Amino acid sequence: MDSYAVGYARPDRWSRSKPEDTVSSSWHAVEAHRPPAELDGEVELAACGAIVQVWGAHRWERVGARESACAECKQITVRQLSRAS
């Protein structure tokens, strides 16, 4: 995935890894198959499985660096470096 939108955790969100966690990781990455501004206000599934509402004006590159960003989303969105054999 080349582009991620930013989603904010809704109270009814669900996450595979931490379904009980509702406050510590409020911001999530959402795969954006169209411009994030077009997703503004939509309810989407985040990379980690949480249900979030997209905030189209935010950029994951900035929000993902915050302490309140989901650690699982951060890990998923990090590009893996390919090793030469």
Side-chain angles (χ1 to χ4, degrees):
M1 173 69 7
D2 293 332
S3 178
Y4 291 91
V6 175
Y8 187 75
R10 296 169 46 91
D12 59 346
R13 76 182 179 93
W14 176 83
S15 174
R16 282 178 267 210
S17 65
K18 296 181 181 178
E20 73 284 351
D21 184 16
T22 58
V23 179
S24 64
S25 53
S26 301
W27 297 101
H28 295 267
V30 176
E31 290 185 5
H33 298 286
R34 55 188 174 149
E38 288 183 20
L39 299 172
D40 192 35
E42 297 288 328
V43 175
E44 297 282 341
L45 194 63
C48 69
I51 297 170
V52 298
Q53 185 168 19
V54 174
W55 286 41
H58 288 44
R59 293 179 42 142
W60 177 248
E61 293 80 17
R62 292 190 67 187
V63 174
R66 295 181 185 171
E67 288 182 23
S68 59
C70 171
E72 189 174 351
C73 283
K74 286 183 193 181
Q75 185 177 25
I76 291 168
T77 59
V78 171
R79 292 188 177 177
Q80 299 295 321
L81 297 175
S82 58
R83 292 191 264 175
S85 325

